[in-house]
Amino acid sequence: MFSKSGICQRLLPGLLRQAHNQQIATLKHFAPPIEYKNVVMPERPKLRFMDKVPILPTNMKAPKLQKKLKFMRGPETVHNTLLYKQYGIIATGGGRLRWGHFEMMRLGIGRKMDVNRMFAIWRVDAPWQPITKKGQGQRMGGGKSAIDHYVTPIKSGRVIVEMAGKCEFAEVKPILETVCHKLPFKAMVVSQEMMEEMQAEEERLERENTNPYTFKYIIQNNLGGCHRWLSPVDHKWFGKYL
């Protein structure tokens, strides 16, 4: 329900406009424009080209590696913050980036960004981990097959791409979202304020939790005999990361 004073404030401008047939302007508050004094534009604002195959010495044969799923599991502990404190794409799950994904991001962002006000940088390495694959129709055995392609393993929380410059989040978000949903793992577009809010919310939930039977407590105390069916990854990350 509206109060009498509120109804009068809503109806009075309309009545005066009808009676005198003129526009009535009221005072409005506009936030001051954002200053970008500390923004330094680089020489090359667009994302650089990534090599499809790592460059090795001429006298060295390309090495083969195991699957190494540990490169994708767990949280990212190093590259999990924004260097320019503005905007970027972070992974919310683990996965592998192929060279085609790098090209998709480079071309998709480069076509839509304003190079006079914005710039973008990579926060991941070029494909370096070799993935082998046998030819179609081959029988089992015969040793490890030849290298098929190279990938870059990504952990949850890793910053993939950063965008910064003299721009706002409303301008950058549509550009990053066009490539974010095409990645082979779950990812999201964030700003520095969003990352700070997510970290504060996570700390608040942990601080205000009143239920002592957390997933970590259940695993550590083997409640219900859960050790019989849990994997070693659950004992390490307590169900938080796959």
Side-chain angles (χ1 to χ4, degrees), residues 126-191:
W128 59 270
Q129 184 182 4
I131 303 296
T132 59
K133 184 179 179 181
K134 284 185 177 294
Q136 189 175 9
Q138 288 191 13
R139 296 182 181 271
M140 295 172 58
K144 196 169 179 67
S145 55
I147 295 174
D148 182 65
H149 61 276
Y150 289 85
V151 297
T152 300
I154 301 296
K155 288 186 176 183
S156 178
R158 176 71 183 257
V159 181
I160 310 297
V161 175
E162 267 194 66
M163 279 191 70
K166 302 175 182 179
C167 52
E168 298 184 9
F169 187 56
E171 301 175 88
V172 175
K173 186 178 179 181
I175 301 175
L176 296 179
E177 280 186 341
T178 56
V179 300
C180 182
H181 70 278
K182 298 179 184 178
L183 295 175
F185 44 78
K186 292 183 179 179
M188 62 182 299
V189 180
V190 297
S191 62

Side-chain angles (χ1 to χ4, degrees), residues 74-116:
E76 176 64 41
T77 58
V78 180
H79 303 283
N80 54 7
T81 57
L82 298 174
L83 294 179
Y84 291 93
K85 307 298 180 183
Q86 286 191 281
Y87 323 110
I89 298 176
I90 63 169
T92 56
R96 286 170 171 166
L97 286 175
R98 297 179 64 156
W99 180 77
H101 298 122
F102 283 93
E103 282 296 281
M104 177 269 298
M105 288 188 284
R106 184 180 69 88
L107 297 175
I109 295 175
R111 288 192 186 109
K112 297 187 177 182
M113 66 181 291
D114 185 0
V115 295
N116 296 321

Side-chain angles (χ1 to χ4, degrees), residues 184-203:
F185 44 78
K186 292 183 179 179
M188 62 182 299
V189 180
V190 297
S191 62
Q192 180 65 22
E193 292 77 14
M194 291 174 60
M195 295 189 68
E196 293 174 355
E197 290 175 1
M198 288 189 293
Q199 185 177 2
E201 179 67 13
E202 187 177 354
E203 294 174 355

